[in-house]
Amino acid sequence: MTWARHGSVTDPAADTSYLAGVKAEEKIHRDVQEGRAARTVAQHSSDARECAELLEMLGIPAEAGRRH
């Protein structure tokens, strides 16, 4: 007996399911939250080195604070 795999998509860009939409929305939400967090850390840091260290501890890329 062989097992067939159904519903697995190897290319995430080709996945147009409901879950793909949810993941896309979550990414947008996460990017906005990371941007706010990065700007808040930058405002409260005493210098650039401290800001970079705090962002690294939080796992937030420094680029996240740049507004588009």
Side-chain angles (χ1 to χ4, degrees):
M1 177 174 180
T2 61
W3 293 92
R5 293 185 182 187
H6 298 286
S8 63
V9 177
T10 56
D11 182 13
D15 188 5
T16 58
S17 67
Y18 172 77
L19 187 57
V22 171
K23 288 179 181 180
E25 279 188 39
E26 180 59 28
K27 182 181 179 339
I28 293 168
H29 180 69
R30 184 181 63 242
D31 290 347
V32 169
Q33 291 292 352
E34 283 184 351
R36 288 179 182 163
R39 288 188 293 276
T40 300
V41 167
Q43 290 172 350
H44 292 89
S45 298
S46 59
D47 59 16
R49 183 173 158 239
E50 181 183 43
C51 180
E53 288 175 359
L54 291 170
L55 289 174
E56 184 179 348
M57 284 184 218
L58 293 170
I60 298 173
E63 300 82 36
R66 296 192 179 121
R67 294 184 187 195
H68 300 290

